[in-house]
mmCIF file of all heavy atoms in Angstrom:
data_model
loop_
_atom_site.group_PDB
_atom_site.id
_atom_site.type_symbol
_atom_site.label_atom_id
_atom_site.label_comp_id
_atom_site.label_asym_id
_atom_site.label_seq_id
_atom_site.Cartn_x
_atom_site.Cartn_y
_atom_site.Cartn_z
ATOM 1 N N THR N 94 -14.021 -283.795 86.303
ATOM 2 C CA THR N 94 -15.124 -284.446 87.007
ATOM 3 C C THR N 94 -15.232 -284.021 88.471
ATOM 4 O O THR N 94 -16.141 -284.447 89.161
ATOM 5 C CB THR N 94 -14.974 -285.982 86.946
ATOM 6 O OG1 THR N 94 -13.777 -286.348 87.636
ATOM 7 C CG2 THR N 94 -14.949 -286.476 85.513
ATOM 8 N N SER N 95 -14.325 -283.176 88.931
ATOM 9 C CA SER N 95 -14.315 -282.803 90.351
ATOM 10 C C SER N 95 -15.236 -281.618 90.642
ATOM 11 O O SER N 95 -15.769 -280.985 89.732
ATOM 12 C CB SER N 95 -12.892 -282.463 90.799
ATOM 13 O OG SER N 95 -12.538 -281.163 90.376
ATOM 14 N N ARG N 96 -15.352 -281.306 91.930
ATOM 15 C CA ARG N 96 -16.145 -280.165 92.379
ATOM 16 C C ARG N 96 -15.321 -278.880 92.435
ATOM 17 O O ARG N 96 -15.818 -277.851 92.867
ATOM 18 C CB ARG N 96 -16.740 -280.445 93.764
ATOM 19 C CG ARG N 96 -17.781 -281.550 93.737
ATOM 20 C CD ARG N 96 -18.381 -281.774 95.097
ATOM 21 N NE ARG N 96 -17.379 -282.398 95.962
ATOM 22 C CZ ARG N 96 -17.312 -282.250 97.272
ATOM 23 N NH1 ARG N 96 -18.183 -281.498 97.898
ATOM 24 N NH2 ARG N 96 -16.381 -282.864 97.964
ATOM 25 N N HIS N 97 -14.056 -278.935 92.011
ATOM 26 C CA HIS N 97 -13.161 -277.784 92.070
ATOM 27 C C HIS N 97 -12.548 -277.534 90.695
ATOM 28 O O HIS N 97 -12.292 -278.465 89.947
ATOM 29 C CB HIS N 97 -12.041 -278.029 93.085
ATOM 30 C CG HIS N 97 -12.553 -278.415 94.432
ATOM 31 N ND1 HIS N 97 -13.112 -277.517 95.307
ATOM 32 C CD2 HIS N 97 -12.616 -279.622 95.046
ATOM 33 C CE1 HIS N 97 -13.485 -278.141 96.400
ATOM 34 N NE2 HIS N 97 -13.206 -279.422 96.266
ATOM 35 N N SER N 98 -12.289 -276.278 90.385
ATOM 36 C CA SER N 98 -11.643 -275.975 89.113
ATOM 37 C C SER N 98 -10.201 -276.489 89.143
ATOM 38 O O SER N 98 -9.607 -276.645 90.207
ATOM 39 C CB SER N 98 -11.674 -274.475 88.834
ATOM 40 O OG SER N 98 -10.868 -273.783 89.746
ATOM 41 N N VAL N 99 -9.664 -276.757 87.959
ATOM 42 C CA VAL N 99 -8.300 -277.279 87.831
ATOM 43 C C VAL N 99 -7.543 -276.391 86.856
ATOM 44 O O VAL N 99 -8.024 -276.104 85.757
ATOM 45 C CB VAL N 99 -8.303 -278.738 87.328
ATOM 46 C CG1 VAL N 99 -6.889 -279.228 87.099
ATOM 47 C CG2 VAL N 99 -9.033 -279.650 88.304
ATOM 48 N N ASN N 100 -6.358 -275.959 87.253
ATOM 49 C CA ASN N 100 -5.511 -275.148 86.384
ATOM 50 C C ASN N 100 -4.768 -276.089 85.432
ATOM 51 O O ASN N 100 -3.924 -276.866 85.850
ATOM 52 C CB ASN N 100 -4.523 -274.330 87.211
ATOM 53 C CG ASN N 100 -3.734 -273.368 86.365
ATOM 54 O OD1 ASN N 100 -3.858 -273.331 85.140
ATOM 55 N ND2 ASN N 100 -2.909 -272.575 87.018
ATOM 56 N N LEU N 101 -5.089 -276.009 84.146
ATOM 57 C CA LEU N 101 -4.457 -276.871 83.140
ATOM 58 C C LEU N 101 -3.267 -276.189 82.470
ATOM 59 O O LEU N 101 -2.704 -276.746 81.521
ATOM 60 C CB LEU N 101 -5.470 -277.280 82.063
ATOM 61 C CG LEU N 101 -6.657 -278.116 82.516
ATOM 62 C CD1 LEU N 101 -7.508 -278.498 81.316
ATOM 63 C CD2 LEU N 101 -6.218 -279.344 83.272
ATOM 64 N N ARG N 102 -2.857 -275.045 82.952
ATOM 65 C CA ARG N 102 -1.734 -274.335 82.339
ATOM 66 C C ARG N 102 -0.501 -275.238 82.322
ATOM 67 O O ARG N 102 -0.082 -275.758 83.342
ATOM 68 C CB ARG N 102 -1.424 -273.066 83.090
ATOM 69 C CG ARG N 102 -0.333 -272.275 82.432
ATOM 70 C CD ARG N 102 -0.072 -270.984 83.128
ATOM 71 N NE ARG N 102 0.329 -270.019 82.108
ATOM 72 C CZ ARG N 102 0.340 -268.744 82.255
ATOM 73 N NH1 ARG N 102 -0.049 -268.224 83.381
ATOM 74 N NH2 ARG N 102 0.732 -267.976 81.274
ATOM 75 N N GLY N 103 0.066 -275.430 81.124
ATOM 76 C CA GLY N 103 1.244 -276.273 80.966
ATOM 77 C C GLY N 103 0.930 -277.739 80.723
ATOM 78 O O GLY N 103 1.827 -278.517 80.409
ATOM 79 N N TRP N 104 -0.339 -278.166 80.869
ATOM 80 C CA TRP N 104 -0.716 -279.543 80.556
ATOM 81 C C TRP N 104 -0.658 -279.705 79.039
ATOM 82 O O TRP N 104 -0.774 -278.727 78.290
ATOM 83 C CB TRP N 104 -2.126 -279.837 81.041
ATOM 84 C CG TRP N 104 -2.273 -279.975 82.527
ATOM 85 C CD1 TRP N 104 -1.703 -279.191 83.487
ATOM 86 C CD2 TRP N 104 -3.065 -280.933 83.207
ATOM 87 N NE1 TRP N 104 -2.093 -279.612 84.728
ATOM 88 C CE2 TRP N 104 -2.938 -280.676 84.594
ATOM 89 C CE3 TRP N 104 -3.881 -281.973 82.793
ATOM 90 C CZ2 TRP N 104 -3.585 -281.437 85.548
ATOM 91 C CZ3 TRP N 104 -4.533 -282.727 83.750
ATOM 92 C CH2 TRP N 104 -4.376 -282.464 85.107
ATOM 93 N N THR N 105 -0.488 -280.944 78.577
ATOM 94 C CA THR N 105 -0.406 -281.184 77.145
ATOM 95 C C THR N 105 -1.336 -282.316 76.712
ATOM 96 O O THR N 105 -1.660 -283.213 77.491
ATOM 97 C CB THR N 105 1.032 -281.553 76.710
ATOM 98 O OG1 THR N 105 1.436 -282.731 77.403
ATOM 99 C CG2 THR N 105 1.993 -280.411 76.980
ATOM 100 N N LEU N 106 -1.738 -282.238 75.456
ATOM 101 C CA LEU N 106 -2.515 -283.282 74.791
ATOM 102 C C LEU N 106 -1.737 -283.629 73.535
ATOM 103 O O LEU N 106 -1.432 -282.740 72.725
ATOM 104 C CB LEU N 106 -3.910 -282.772 74.436
ATOM 105 C CG LEU N 106 -4.800 -283.724 73.656
ATOM 106 C CD1 LEU N 106 -5.163 -284.950 74.504
ATOM 107 C CD2 LEU N 106 -6.064 -282.999 73.196
ATOM 108 N N SER N 107 -1.388 -284.907 73.364
ATOM 109 C CA SER N 107 -0.577 -285.283 72.203
ATOM 110 C C SER N 107 -1.069 -286.577 71.580
ATOM 111 O O SER N 107 -1.784 -287.356 72.203
ATOM 112 C CB SER N 107 0.897 -285.413 72.601
ATOM 113 O OG SER N 107 1.046 -286.369 73.616
ATOM 114 N N ASP N 108 -0.655 -286.790 70.333
ATOM 115 C CA ASP N 108 -0.962 -288.027 69.623
ATOM 116 C C ASP N 108 0.295 -288.886 69.576
ATOM 117 O O ASP N 108 1.342 -288.516 70.118
ATOM 118 C CB ASP N 108 -1.508 -287.731 68.226
ATOM 119 C CG ASP N 108 -0.465 -287.205 67.262
ATOM 120 O OD1 ASP N 108 0.588 -286.684 67.706
ATOM 121 O OD2 ASP N 108 -0.685 -287.318 66.048
ATOM 122 N N GLU N 109 0.208 -290.047 68.934
ATOM 123 C CA GLU N 109 1.357 -290.963 68.862
ATOM 124 C C GLU N 109 2.536 -290.369 68.093
ATOM 125 O O GLU N 109 3.674 -290.747 68.323
ATOM 126 C CB GLU N 109 0.945 -292.297 68.237
ATOM 127 C CG GLU N 109 0.122 -293.140 69.173
ATOM 128 C CD GLU N 109 -0.243 -294.486 68.564
ATOM 129 O OE1 GLU N 109 -0.056 -294.694 67.341
ATOM 130 O OE2 GLU N 109 -0.718 -295.343 69.326
ATOM 131 N N SER N 110 2.262 -289.448 67.185
ATOM 132 C CA SER N 110 3.336 -288.812 66.419
ATOM 133 C C SER N 110 3.942 -287.633 67.170
ATOM 134 O O SER N 110 4.726 -286.885 66.602
ATOM 135 C CB SER N 110 2.802 -288.339 65.065
ATOM 136 O OG SER N 110 2.360 -289.437 64.309
ATOM 137 N N ARG N 111 3.553 -287.458 68.398
ATOM 138 C CA ARG N 111 4.041 -286.398 69.294
ATOM 139 C C ARG N 111 3.651 -284.993 68.855
ATOM 140 O O ARG N 111 4.332 -284.025 69.191
ATOM 141 C CB ARG N 111 5.546 -286.519 69.484
ATOM 142 C CG ARG N 111 5.918 -287.791 70.201
ATOM 143 C CD ARG N 111 7.348 -287.751 70.679
ATOM 144 N NE ARG N 111 7.646 -288.961 71.442
ATOM 145 C CZ ARG N 111 8.629 -289.779 71.140
ATOM 146 N NH1 ARG N 111 9.418 -289.528 70.123
ATOM 147 N NH2 ARG N 111 8.834 -290.847 71.873
ATOM 148 N N ARG N 112 2.565 -284.892 68.075
ATOM 149 C CA ARG N 112 2.010 -283.565 67.803
ATOM 150 C C ARG N 112 1.320 -283.154 69.098
ATOM 151 O O ARG N 112 0.466 -283.884 69.604
ATOM 152 C CB ARG N 112 1.036 -283.613 66.640
ATOM 153 C CG ARG N 112 1.765 -283.861 65.314
ATOM 154 C CD ARG N 112 0.802 -284.085 64.196
ATOM 155 N NE ARG N 112 0.262 -285.440 64.314
ATOM 156 C CZ ARG N 112 -0.145 -286.178 63.294
ATOM 157 N NH1 ARG N 112 -0.084 -285.703 62.076
ATOM 158 N NH2 ARG N 112 -0.623 -287.391 63.477
ATOM 159 N N THR N 113 1.697 -282.001 69.637
ATOM 160 C CA THR N 113 1.303 -281.642 71.002
ATOM 161 C C THR N 113 0.611 -280.292 71.059
ATOM 162 O O THR N 113 1.050 -279.324 70.434
ATOM 163 C CB THR N 113 2.558 -281.611 71.906
ATOM 164 O OG1 THR N 113 3.171 -282.909 71.858
ATOM 165 C CG2 THR N 113 2.212 -281.287 73.342
ATOM 166 N N TYR N 114 -0.461 -280.258 71.830
ATOM 167 C CA TYR N 114 -1.156 -279.013 72.151
ATOM 168 C C TYR N 114 -0.893 -278.715 73.620
ATOM 169 O O TYR N 114 -1.025 -279.587 74.469
ATOM 170 C CB TYR N 114 -2.666 -279.146 71.905
ATOM 171 C CG TYR N 114 -3.441 -277.959 72.407
ATOM 172 C CD1 TYR N 114 -3.454 -276.761 71.692
ATOM 173 C CD2 TYR N 114 -4.144 -278.029 73.602
ATOM 174 C CE1 TYR N 114 -4.153 -275.666 72.152
ATOM 175 C CE2 TYR N 114 -4.845 -276.930 74.067
ATOM 176 C CZ TYR N 114 -4.848 -275.758 73.344
ATOM 177 O OH TYR N 114 -5.533 -274.669 73.810
ATOM 178 N N ARG N 115 -0.524 -277.465 73.936
ATOM 179 C CA ARG N 115 -0.256 -277.057 75.323
ATOM 180 C C ARG N 115 -1.404 -276.167 75.806
ATOM 181 O O ARG N 115 -1.726 -275.158 75.183
ATOM 182 C CB ARG N 115 1.068 -276.314 75.421
ATOM 183 C CG ARG N 115 1.467 -275.980 76.851
ATOM 184 C CD ARG N 115 2.884 -275.449 76.951
ATOM 185 N NE ARG N 115 3.868 -276.366 76.406
ATOM 186 C CZ ARG N 115 4.394 -277.412 77.048
ATOM 187 N NH1 ARG N 115 4.020 -277.682 78.267
ATOM 188 N NH2 ARG N 115 5.302 -278.165 76.470
ATOM 189 N N PHE N 116 -1.994 -276.562 76.942
ATOM 190 C CA PHE N 116 -3.120 -275.817 77.510
ATOM 191 C C PHE N 116 -2.648 -274.560 78.224
ATOM 192 O O PHE N 116 -1.569 -274.526 78.808
ATOM 193 C CB PHE N 116 -3.873 -276.685 78.529
ATOM 194 C CG PHE N 116 -4.645 -277.813 77.923
ATOM 195 C CD1 PHE N 116 -4.054 -279.051 77.742
ATOM 196 C CD2 PHE N 116 -5.968 -277.646 77.546
ATOM 197 C CE1 PHE N 116 -4.758 -280.103 77.192
ATOM 198 C CE2 PHE N 116 -6.681 -278.692 76.993
ATOM 199 C CZ PHE N 116 -6.072 -279.926 76.814
ATOM 200 N N ASP N 117 -3.518 -273.544 78.225
ATOM 201 C CA ASP N 117 -3.325 -272.334 79.005
ATOM 202 C C ASP N 117 -4.704 -271.873 79.472
ATOM 203 O O ASP N 117 -5.224 -270.860 79.015
ATOM 204 C CB ASP N 117 -2.631 -271.249 78.177
ATOM 205 C CG ASP N 117 -2.255 -270.034 79.017
ATOM 206 O OD1 ASP N 117 -2.210 -270.158 80.260
ATOM 207 O OD2 ASP N 117 -2.018 -268.966 78.439
ATOM 208 N N LEU N 118 -5.315 -272.681 80.355
ATOM 209 C CA LEU N 118 -6.661 -272.359 80.829
ATOM 210 C C LEU N 118 -6.931 -273.015 82.172
ATOM 211 O O LEU N 118 -6.240 -273.944 82.583
ATOM 212 C CB LEU N 118 -7.720 -272.803 79.813
ATOM 213 C CG LEU N 118 -7.850 -274.296 79.510
ATOM 214 C CD1 LEU N 118 -8.915 -274.947 80.355
ATOM 215 C CD2 LEU N 118 -8.207 -274.466 78.049
ATOM 216 N N ARG N 119 -7.949 -272.515 82.828
ATOM 217 C CA ARG N 119 -8.457 -273.105 84.058
ATOM 218 C C ARG N 119 -9.780 -273.754 83.694
ATOM 219 O O ARG N 119 -10.661 -273.100 83.143
ATOM 220 C CB ARG N 119 -8.647 -272.047 85.137
ATOM 221 C CG ARG N 119 -9.203 -272.604 86.435
ATOM 222 C CD ARG N 119 -9.179 -271.569 87.535
ATOM 223 N NE ARG N 119 -7.830 -271.318 88.015
ATOM 224 C CZ ARG N 119 -7.185 -272.090 88.895
ATOM 225 N NH1 ARG N 119 -7.766 -273.169 89.374
ATOM 226 N NH2 ARG N 119 -5.971 -271.787 89.293
ATOM 227 N N LEU N 120 -9.905 -275.051 83.985
ATOM 228 C CA LEU N 120 -11.119 -275.804 83.658
ATOM 229 C C LEU N 120 -12.032 -275.819 84.877
ATOM 230 O O LEU N 120 -11.671 -276.381 85.916
ATOM 231 C CB LEU N 120 -10.746 -277.232 83.231
ATOM 232 C CG LEU N 120 -11.846 -278.099 82.639
ATOM 233 C CD1 LEU N 120 -12.487 -277.446 81.422
ATOM 234 C CD2 LEU N 120 -11.290 -279.460 82.264
ATOM 235 N N PRO N 121 -13.203 -275.175 84.767
ATOM 236 C CA PRO N 121 -14.110 -275.122 85.915
ATOM 237 C C PRO N 121 -14.562 -276.513 86.366
ATOM 238 O O PRO N 121 -14.464 -277.493 85.624
ATOM 239 C CB PRO N 121 -15.302 -274.319 85.388
ATOM 240 C CG PRO N 121 -14.773 -273.555 84.228
ATOM 241 C CD PRO N 121 -13.714 -274.444 83.619
ATOM 242 N N ALA N 122 -15.086 -276.563 87.573
ATOM 243 C CA ALA N 122 -15.601 -277.816 88.141
ATOM 244 C C ALA N 122 -16.691 -278.391 87.253
ATOM 245 O O ALA N 122 -17.503 -277.661 86.685
ATOM 246 C CB ALA N 122 -16.154 -277.557 89.536
#
Side-chain angles (χ1 to χ4, degrees):
T94 63
S95 78
R96 293 182 289 151
H97 307 284
S98 67
V99 176
N100 186 357
L101 297 183
R102 184 177 213 163
W104 287 43
T105 60
L106 176 66
S107 58
D108 71 339
E109 286 182 348
S110 297
R111 295 194 176 124
R112 290 173 284 209
T113 301
Y114 172 77
R115 185 171 303 278
F116 290 90
D117 187 18
L118 63 95
R119 179 171 287 279
L120 190 57

